[in-house]
Amino acid sequence: MNDIAIVGFGETQVGLRTGRSSYDLASEVVEEVLEATGLGLADIDGLAIGETMSETSNPFWAVYMSEHLGLSPTWLQLNGLGGASTIGGVARAASAIRDDLCETVLVLASDAQSSYPAPEYGAHRAEFQYPTGLKGPVGSFGLLTRRYIHQFGNPDQALAKLAVTQRNHALLNPLGTSKLRKPITEADYLTSKVVSDPLRMLDSVMVCDGANALLVTSTENARRKGLDIIAHPTGYGEITNFNVREQLADITRTGFSVAGPRAFKQAGLTPGDIRMLHLYDDFLIALILTMEQVGFCEPGEGVKFVLDHDFSYTGDLPLNTSGGQISAGQPGLAGGGLNAVEAVRQMAGKAGERQVDDPRNALVTGIGAIPYGRNWAVSNAMILERP
């Protein structure tokens, strides 16, 4: 699977209520990608862009973004996978390039959710759920965490460790939102405000604004144009609405039990081969569930796995070295791109103070949507390897 290459990346500052539009943020990140690679707009003939919360009402979001950026793509993909859209976009770009529909694809995510909040999304029925106290993802993840505790025991010790690890990484990330650039302790986590019992404030993302992008082309084209090949996407798995036909699904069982093994099989690797984890982290409990279900440990053993490993950037299994969404800020539905770009940045050796030693490969995951009474709707996993 080395025929596809990631040759560039970019990311804006993640900011809280910046007042900037998604178009504005996207323009900045595209300029960064072009400057880093030496390419021009005419070299980009494919665009894979994620849906947003700030532009939810715009049915022509992808088309207008192309116009705004000055692009005339021969292949255009609008991904509605939520936080799974960026690595989903890379996978779809790879297929389009192999099918000769385009040559070089910009995988773009841009959202200004904290500046332009969207109305409620259709499947979330506020009139039924809000009166019972179930308000959006925070309520759903509260239920999910409670179920995990019922089945496997209290994960607080592991969650506290993850919170501090990611915050320490965010302190080394100049692109993280300034409001979160404050050190925390495990005691700070354990005493933080409960927002959806047993979910705490420090379990949760802060919705912000920001944009990020990856540039994808064929390895052959990259060599022909003299571009640096940063990473190859060698394995990918995805599933939407896992166990959808189960009337009373176990909400601690996720689609990562399908997507993770599929990605490892395609790459010819095992969890023991992975050097870095860049896991989607809208809520900390998602990290434990992801580790369990992609195959690092058995269900219910995630707490022990977390306590047994060093997830710092100098540790044996570095995790979300930019701080993740939890501590760098979640740029709306562009949040999934934040961890993907960090994985590529690490593989390019450009992570500065938080640079991982020997970033030979990485597991990147995405999550999209969380309906009532079920686990999240979209699970995907991608393995990146350095050439």
Side-chain angles (χ1 to χ4, degrees), residues 275-320:
R275 176 67 182 114
M276 299 183 292
L277 298 176
H278 297 273
L279 309 181
Y280 193 88
D281 62 318
D282 48 355
F283 298 91
L284 288 175
I285 190 65
L287 296 174
I288 292 178
L289 286 171
T290 302
M291 291 175 194
E292 291 179 355
Q293 309 229 346
V294 299
F296 285 93
C297 57
E298 293 297 318
E301 295 181 0
V303 170
K304 183 178 185 303
F305 183 81
V306 169
L307 297 178
D308 286 347
H309 288 273
D310 182 351
F311 295 100
S312 71
Y313 74 95
T314 59
D316 62 307
L317 194 56
L319 168 71
N320 291 345

Side-chain angles (χ1 to χ4, degrees), residues 302-362:
V303 170
K304 183 178 185 303
F305 183 81
V306 169
L307 297 178
D308 286 347
H309 288 273
D310 182 351
F311 295 100
S312 71
Y313 74 95
T314 59
D316 62 307
L317 194 56
L319 168 71
N320 291 345
T321 50
S322 69
Q325 299 172 92
I326 293 285
S327 275
Q330 183 188 57
L333 293 187
L338 186 148
N339 292 350
V341 166
E342 174 67 8
V344 174
R345 181 187 289 113
Q346 287 283 355
M347 298 176 92
K350 295 182 179 180
E353 292 181 87
R354 62 187 190 278
Q355 180 62 50
V356 170
D357 178 52
D358 185 25
R360 60 188 177 274
N361 62 36

Side-chain angles (χ1 to χ4, degrees), residues 93-309:
S95 295
I97 292 167
R98 291 184 181 116
D99 287 344
D100 201 27
L101 300 177
C102 54
E103 188 173 66
T104 302
V105 178
L106 182 72
V107 180
L108 176 64
S110 180
D111 203 351
Q113 186 178 355
S114 71
S115 292
Y116 305 96
E120 297 290 351
Y121 39 93
H124 181 83
R125 300 310 299 264
E127 69 271 31
F128 301 130
Q129 296 179 24
Y130 281 10
T132 65
L134 185 71
K135 188 164 184 178
V138 176
S140 295
F141 269 95
L143 289 174
L144 194 158
T145 305
R146 176 60 66 194
R147 177 64 179 173
Y148 188 92
I149 292 171
H150 173 75
Q151 288 182 292
F152 304 119
N154 194 315
D156 278 359
Q157 192 177 357
L159 295 174
K161 178 179 178 178
L162 293 172
V164 172
T165 298
Q166 295 205 169
R167 182 60 62 90
N168 288 341
H169 287 157
L171 296 175
L172 302 176
N173 177 13
L175 294 178
T177 186
S178 58
K179 189 169 182 178
L180 295 175
R181 289 179 62 82
K182 301 171 185 175
I184 61 171
T185 65
E186 292 190 11
D188 291 330
Y189 167 82
L190 293 169
T191 58
S192 66
K193 179 183 177 181
V194 174
V195 292
S196 179
D197 188 28
L199 214 62
R200 299 174 172 88
M201 182 73 75
L202 291 180
D203 280 301
S204 317
V205 290
M206 177 184 290
V207 174
C208 297
D209 305 337
N212 46 69
L214 297 172
L215 194 65
V216 182
T217 190
S218 68
T219 299
E220 180 184 0
N221 185 51
R223 290 171 176 159
R224 184 168 57 246
K225 293 193 172 184
L227 297 171
D228 291 333
I229 298 174
I230 303 172
H232 297 293
T234 59
Y236 182 71
E238 174 185 313
I239 187 169
T240 298
N241 295 332
F242 174 69
N243 280 348
V244 69
R245 289 177 295 279
E246 287 191 16
Q247 293 300 304
L248 190 60
D250 179 349
I251 60 174
T252 63
R253 293 181 61 211
T254 81
F256 283 122
S257 60
V258 174
R262 185 173 293 172
F264 282 118
K265 182 179 180 180
Q266 196 173 80
L269 298 177
T270 69
D273 297 318
I274 295 299
R275 176 67 182 114
M276 299 183 292
L277 298 176
H278 297 273
L279 309 181
Y280 193 88
D281 62 318
D282 48 355
F283 298 91
L284 288 175
I285 190 65
L287 296 174
I288 292 178
L289 286 171
T290 302
M291 291 175 194
E292 291 179 355
Q293 309 229 346
V294 299
F296 285 93
C297 57
E298 293 297 318
E301 295 181 0
V303 170
K304 183 178 185 303
F305 183 81
V306 169
L307 297 178
D308 286 347
H309 288 273

Side-chain angles (χ1 to χ4, degrees), residues 5-139:
I6 296 174
V7 297
F9 64 92
E11 182 186 354
T12 68
Q13 182 83 40
V14 179
L16 181 64
R17 292 186 289 274
T18 64
R20 299 177 65 185
S21 72
S22 296
Y23 295 100
D24 181 24
L25 293 161
S27 297
E28 179 183 331
V29 83
V30 171
E31 287 181 6
E32 181 183 347
V33 170
L34 294 178
E35 183 176 347
T37 58
L39 298 178
L41 287 171
D43 294 304
I44 299 174
D45 58 355
L47 176 65
I49 187 169
E51 277 279 17
T52 76
M53 295 300 285
S54 56
E55 295 286 337
T56 297
S57 61
N58 183 354
F60 302 110
W61 159 243
V63 175
Y64 289 153
M65 178 60 82
S66 298
E67 179 187 27
H68 176 79
L69 297 175
L71 296 175
S72 299
T74 59
W75 177 80
L76 180 62
Q77 173 78 34
L78 177 61
N79 295 315
L81 303 177
S85 291
T86 291
I87 58 172
V90 172
R92 287 155 175 76
S95 295
I97 292 167
R98 291 184 181 116
D99 287 344
D100 201 27
L101 300 177
C102 54
E103 188 173 66
T104 302
V105 178
L106 182 72
V107 180
L108 176 64
S110 180
D111 203 351
Q113 186 178 355
S114 71
S115 292
Y116 305 96
E120 297 290 351
Y121 39 93
H124 181 83
R125 300 310 299 264
E127 69 271 31
F128 301 130
Q129 296 179 24
Y130 281 10
T132 65
L134 185 71
K135 188 164 184 178
V138 176

